[in-house]
Amino acid sequence: MTTSCDIPEALCQILRDARHVCILTGAGVSAESGVPTFRDAQDGLWAQYAPQDLATPDAFLINPALIWRWYRWRRELVNSAMPNSGHYAIASLSELVPQLTLVTQNVDNLHQRAGSRNVIEFHGNLFNDRCFADGSLHIADESLDVPVCPDCGGNLRPGVVWFGEAIPESALHESCSAAADCDVFLSIGTSSQVYPAAGLANLAKNNGAIVVEINPEPTMLAADFDFAIAGKSGVVLPELLESLAVKRSGQDRSEK
Ligand code: OAD
């Protein structure tokens, strides 16, 4: 394992040769946009609020109005945030490699707003309103504290995946396929504590991929990875992109 703030030369070479790059992002990628992470000891959402009170189906059944207030607050926070240089670098990377699959645990749309397409939303989307009973998508009537489903009259809920709930089937299937198929897997801005998302890196590794972590604080899993770059994604990713672009133009010249 290599741990460095610099981009290792070998990694640039590996990425330049890559056929399929799979990226998993977590809350850290949006931290530089001013969106709090979950597990930061001071500012993390789970340092201030108990997940079992706000992010479980039982909590919603007990007090749906409280849950809606919290998620509306998060929607406003995210709407007033802008994508950062890490989000933009990931969107640009897709133009430098033959195939890129982006899987995010984030529910904030910031990757999409930075230009990434076909983002696999592993934990749903903060801005979707779903029927609590059957999961169907609807547009919530914002004048109601707890919006209701126009079809069944039951409560609508925010379309995020809560603790104890299954990952959306297509997101799980597509992510596992990409992790198993890629030759480079980048785990960026995630504490790698929440499964099944955290298992994607090992799935990739077990299928022969080079696995890379980008995080200012290397995680418990980093020792199993091939490279751990200790730095903020908004700094490391543009540098990585620049190194690749420089190398690629050098390569293009030498191929002429
Ligand atoms: P966490 O809050 O668990 O971890 C955020 C990670 O980002 C930490 O490892 C930080 O060190 C790192 N980090 C902080 N600033 C960074 C920066 N500028 N650049 C790169 N990394 C940085 O967030 P997740 O791993 O995303 O689930 O959490 C996983 C899931 O747990 C979330 O999707 C959410 C939460 O409960 C659900 O809501 C279902």
Side-chain angles (χ1 to χ4, degrees):
M1 186 190 64
T2 305
T3 305
S4 162
C5 291
D6 299 322
I7 313 290
E9 182 69 22
L11 175 57
C12 292
Q13 184 62 40
I14 287 163
L15 275 167
R16 195 173 44 156
D17 294 342
R19 171 187 52 85
H20 181 184
V21 175
C22 181
I23 298 181
L24 172 70
T25 63
V29 166
S30 296
E32 288 156 89
S33 296
V35 180
T37 64
F38 291 94
R39 293 179 181 76
D40 181 90
Q42 259 83 49
D43 307 324
L45 291 173
W46 297 152
Q48 299 167 60
Y49 308 97
Q52 65 273 17
D53 294 343
L54 295 166
T56 64
D58 282 350
F60 186 78
L61 287 170
I62 292 167
N63 193 344
L66 170 75
I67 307 302
W68 268 109
R69 273 203 301 281
W70 194 66
Y71 281 94
R72 281 180 173 134
W73 168 75
R74 284 185 60 199
R75 283 180 181 182
E76 280 173 26
L77 183 103
V78 159
N79 267 335
S80 63
M82 296 299 288
N84 64 56
S85 47
H87 295 110
Y88 287 114
I90 289 173
S92 301
L93 187 61
S94 68
E95 288 158 25
L96 287 180
V97 296
Q99 186 181 358
L100 186 138
T101 303
L102 175 57
V103 183
T104 188
Q105 297 168 88
N106 300 343
V107 296
D108 58 20
N109 274 346
L110 288 171
H111 282 303
Q112 292 87 335
R113 285 170 57 195
S116 284
R117 297 282 164 260
N118 304 317
V119 182
I120 300 176
E121 297 179 317
F122 208 79
H123 288 159
N125 189 298
L126 189 54
F127 296 92
N128 286 348
D129 308 311
R130 292 191 176 277
C131 174
F132 186 80
D134 68 9
S136 54
L137 269 175
H138 299 279
I139 307 273
D141 176 349
E142 290 300 328
S143 67
L144 300 172
D145 285 352
V146 180
V148 292
C149 174
D151 290 345
C152 72
N155 288 338
L156 291 182
R157 53 164 285 178
V160 298
V161 175
W162 283 330
F163 288 99
E165 293 187 316
I167 304 304
E169 206 173 314
S170 63
L172 184 63
H173 175 74
E174 288 170 27
S175 305
C176 290
S177 299
D181 177 70
C182 70
D183 35 22
V184 184
F185 185 95
L186 307 179
S187 175
I188 310 176
T190 176
S191 59
S192 298
Q193 290 187 33
V194 176
Y195 285 79
L200 292 172
N202 273 332
L203 178 62
K205 188 144 183 68
N206 291 340
N207 281 278
I210 298 290
V211 180
V212 184
E213 178 181 271
I214 299 173
N215 195 313
E217 293 168 37
T219 67
M220 302 276 281
L221 295 190
D224 299 335
F225 296 159
D226 299 285
F227 296 92
I229 302 179
K232 294 183 175 186
S233 49
V235 175
V236 172
L237 288 169
E239 271 180 31
L240 182 64
L241 202 68
E242 201 175 318
S243 312
L244 288 181
V246 167
K247 282 171 190 301
R248 198 164 280 275
S249 62
Q251 184 189 31
D252 290 347
R253 269 199 303 277
S254 66
E255 279 169 358
K256 280 183 188 155

